[in-house]
Amino acid sequence: MASLRRVKVLLALNLIAVAGFVLFLAKCRPITAKSGDSFRDLRPRAEVANLTARGIGSVQDAVLKRLSLLEDIVYRQLNGLSKSLGLIEGYGGRGKGGLPATLSPEEEEKAKGPHEKYGYNSYLSEKISLDRSIPDYRPTKCKELKYGKDLPQISIIFIFVNEALSVILRSVHSAVNHTPAHLLKEIILVDDNSDEEELKAPLEEYVNKRYPGLVKVVRNQKREGLIRARIEGWKVATGQITGFFDAHVEFTAGWAEPVLSRIQENRRRVILPSIDNIKQDNFEVQRYENSAHGYSWELWCMYISPPKDWWDAGDPSLPIR
């Protein structure tokens, strides 16, 4: 209990420091800009000077940059919460860069039971960082696209039942790490009446400490099934847009902006991002070729080759209907 109180006090002090810092920035007096100053220097006085010279839009940019820096500071303070769960944080380690991760012969023996239970190598998942880096497989033209700053916010909803804790938390970390903070309204975890003890108090305590106010947990009192579970998540969502995902995914950089932009243009659109594969045995990220998603007459999800007019346009950044 004493250690829990210390963590709460530390978190409260960090939040107070963040609020005070933002208020200080808002009231900071103008400073004359010097030639050669740039945001790359990360020097507060130079930044404030550039803000004054470049106007309100730049003020917003700088505040976002400052908040990002503060986010990193708070991250370093909170880093290590996963150790009590036997999990790892940080961008390195096994599986870094989406490469295949491996186990020693002794570890392979221990992994057999959990592998059969979950349908993927959950033991290996615990040895892979919750923040591991993965490759950016977007076509070059996609990376060059620019988007407005007025995009709507999204509520990300994960549905799970008896999923491995490490896989759920990697999905959460990945969503936070690769979604711009001003676009991510919240993350909602819908537990469709799981039996696993680690998915109860340990999961809830971790997300409440690690991402206070950002991650919500919804508990179904009985097994509702995928669609009704999604609806339960939608009921508590407060974002302008809701995104439904499996709880065993990893997001890449730049995934959110094109999705939100397309819906902003036409609210009737239902968007499905391009989905690559995470191999169940070694968690290697495997690129899938360009394709659309659809359903067979039996309602099985299937990949559909893009139509001829899409190929003829010669622009891989175009959406596929």
Side-chain angles (χ1 to χ4, degrees), residues 154-159 229-231 233-234 242-246 272:
I154 186 170
S155 295
I156 293 178
I157 302 173
F158 292 120
I159 313 297
R230 285 177 171 174
I231 292 172
W234 173 79
T242 50
F244 299 92
F245 299 89
D246 292 327
L272 185 60

Side-chain angles (χ1 to χ4, degrees), residues 202-236:
L203 168 63
E204 203 149 342
E205 289 174 5
Y206 177 84
V207 297
N208 287 341
K209 293 176 184 176
R210 187 67 179 77
Y211 300 112
L214 180 65
V215 180
K216 304 174 182 177
V217 180
V218 175
R219 306 278 187 184
N220 289 341
Q221 298 307 305
K222 64 177 182 177
R223 190 71 49 80
E224 297 288 355
L226 178 62
I227 302 305
R228 284 195 291 269
R230 285 177 171 174
I231 292 172
E232 291 303 311
W234 173 79
K235 285 179 181 178
V236 302

Side-chain angles (χ1 to χ4, degrees), residues 7 37 48-49 58 68 114 128 141 143 187 195 202 208 245 260 273 281 284-285 287 302:
V7 170
D37 286 342
V48 174
S58 294
S68 177
I128 298 173
K141 193 161 185 178
K143 299 176 184 179
I187 295 174
D195 304 313
N208 287 341
F245 299 89
L260 302 179
D281 295 323
E284 177 186 4
V285 179
R287 182 181 182 275
M302 59 186 293

Side-chain angles (χ1 to χ4, degrees), residues 286-298:
Q286 178 186 34
R287 182 181 182 275
Y288 276 175
E289 293 303 319
N290 292 321
S291 60
H293 295 258
Y295 295 90
S296 67
W297 286 110
E298 293 82 19

Side-chain angles (χ1 to χ4, degrees), residues 130 169-179 249-252:
L130 301 177
L169 293 183
R170 189 174 300 108
S171 300
V172 172
H173 275 244
S174 177
V176 174
N177 292 342
H178 295 110
T179 308
V249 299
E250 294 180 56
F251 294 83
T252 57

Side-chain angles (χ1 to χ4, degrees), residues 238-304:
T238 60
Q240 296 163 282
I241 293 174
T242 50
F244 299 92
F245 299 89
D246 292 327
H248 44 256
V249 299
E250 294 180 56
F251 294 83
T252 57
W255 78 272
E257 293 89 334
V259 170
L260 302 179
S261 177
R262 292 281 293 164
I263 298 175
Q264 186 181 50
E265 292 171 1
N266 183 350
R267 62 184 294 273
R268 295 181 181 274
R269 286 175 176 153
V270 177
I271 307 297
L272 185 60
S274 178
I275 299 175
D276 295 313
N277 183 43
I278 302 174
K279 292 186 177 181
Q280 62 180 7
D281 295 323
N282 56 23
F283 287 81
E284 177 186 4
V285 179
Q286 178 186 34
R287 182 181 182 275
Y288 276 175
E289 293 303 319
N290 292 321
S291 60
H293 295 258
Y295 295 90
S296 67
W297 286 110
E298 293 82 19
L299 295 183
W300 288 103
C301 181
M302 59 186 293
Y303 292 95
I304 302 171

Side-chain angles (χ1 to χ4, degrees), residues 81-90 92-96 101-104 107-115 117-118 120-132 162-171 173 196-199 202 206 250 278-283:
L81 285 176
S82 61
K83 290 181 180 178
S84 63
L85 301 176
L87 303 178
I88 306 164
E89 295 182 53
R94 302 189 212 187
K96 177 183 177 181
T102 58
L103 294 171
S104 67
E107 290 174 324
E108 289 283 2
E109 284 299 314
K110 297 177 182 178
K112 288 181 179 178
H115 198 156
K117 176 180 179 180
Y118 292 105
Y120 51 75
N121 198 336
S122 61
Y123 183 88
L124 175 59
S125 175
E126 295 175 359
K127 310 301 179 184
I128 298 173
S129 172
L130 301 177
D131 302 298
R132 73 152 175 174
N162 293 330
E163 193 94 55
L165 178 60
S166 62
V167 170
I168 295 174
L169 293 183
R170 189 174 300 108
S171 300
H173 275 244
E196 298 292 335
E197 286 300 321
E198 67 176 5
L199 300 181
Y206 177 84
E250 294 180 56
I278 302 174
K279 292 186 177 181
Q280 62 180 7
D281 295 323
N282 56 23
F283 287 81

